[in-house]
Amino acid sequence: MSDHNPYETLGLNESASFDEIQDARNRLVEEHASDRKRVEMIEASYDAILMDRLRMRQEGRIKVPDRIRFPEKITPAPPAVAPAPASKAPAWLQNLLVLDTPSRSDVLWPATLFAGLGALSLYAPGLALALGVGVSLYFLNRKEHKFFRVFLLTLVGSTLGIVIGLQLFPFLAAPLAALSIDSNAFASWVTLLLLWLISSFLR
């Protein structure tokens, strides 16, 4: 160490921590940036303190924290939330059932078409069902632009509609027969209703 006290030059006492020494050095260098000799004295004092601290550590007079001496023993903190595993499904299949918040026109325009097809199904249920599949494909694809996903949703909706309609018909056969509605027309109605819900409220 030189004849001047480096701690006094930095305005510190000998028990100052390394962070305090570094902060004092940075602050003083910034304050005296225009005085080259003063900056050199600050830097020399800072270096002298570091060398003194190093010597004291080597002599065992300063205890080095375990986090510095043995960094490999410190176990990293577990992440707050485990990362979700990467999905291996194709892009068009991911998030198959995502609800949409459609505008009024996005609900009413398909509803009008499907209602018209429901009326047609009284006379030609097969034709109404085929047109309903086409309408569903159109409206879903207009929102999605993912044809395979749109096709899958329409196929599942059509199949479910037919199955549910044919299963429900025996329970409602008497009142429906009074209205001259057969099982094919009823299954077509249920399917068209399901396709309208899918094309309006899924994306």
Side-chain angles (χ1 to χ4, degrees):
M1 293 251 244
S2 59
D3 53 352
H4 72 277
N5 187 329
Y7 288 96
E8 287 178 7
T9 304
L10 296 185
L12 300 167
N13 58 42
E14 295 192 12
S15 63
S17 68
F18 177 73
D19 289 336
E20 289 171 335
I21 295 166
Q22 205 164 25
D23 289 344
R25 177 249 180 202
N26 293 340
R27 179 176 43 79
L28 290 170
V29 166
E30 192 174 325
E31 282 178 17
H32 302 285
S34 59
D35 187 347
R36 190 173 63 84
K37 287 195 175 185
R38 181 76 176 150
V39 170
E40 285 176 6
M41 183 182 284
I42 292 165
E43 294 286 7
S45 297
Y46 177 72
D47 292 343
I49 291 172
L50 290 184
M51 294 303 294
D52 187 46
R53 292 290 175 100
L54 178 60
R55 182 179 50 76
M56 290 169 70
R57 280 188 182 177
Q58 289 171 343
E59 293 171 0
R61 290 166 46 199
I62 295 179
K63 185 177 185 321
V64 180
D66 286 343
R67 64 185 173 80
I68 296 173
R69 292 174 62 202
F70 307 108
E72 68 279 359
K73 289 187 179 178
I74 299 172
T75 55
V81 178
S87 176
K88 294 181 181 176
W92 57 269
L93 191 56
Q94 292 178 12
N95 301 323
L96 186 62
L97 298 176
V98 179
L99 290 178
D100 194 6
T101 51
S103 65
R104 177 183 282 186
S105 64
D106 286 340
V107 173
L108 293 179
W109 177 230
T112 305
L113 288 176
F114 280 110
L117 292 173
L120 177 64
S121 68
L122 289 171
Y123 307 102
L127 176 62
L129 203 54
L131 291 173
V133 167
V135 169
S136 177
L137 287 171
Y138 168 76
F139 282 111
L140 273 173
N141 197 51
R142 191 175 68 161
K143 288 193 285 186
E144 282 295 310
H145 305 293
K146 297 176 183 173
F147 183 75
F148 289 111
R149 186 171 177 278
V150 167
F151 177 77
L152 183 61
L153 282 171
T154 303
L155 179 66
V156 169
S158 303
T159 306
L160 275 176
I162 292 169
V163 169
I164 292 169
L166 292 176
Q167 293 297 317
L168 284 178
F169 183 77
F171 300 104
L172 303 169
L176 291 173
L179 298 170
S180 302
I181 298 170
D182 65 2
S183 61
N184 290 335
F186 181 72
S188 178
W189 278 0
V190 173
T191 305
L192 292 171
L193 175 64
L194 197 55
L195 289 176
W196 169 70
L197 290 172
I198 289 171
S199 62
S200 296
F201 298 102
L202 290 184
R203 63 177 173 83

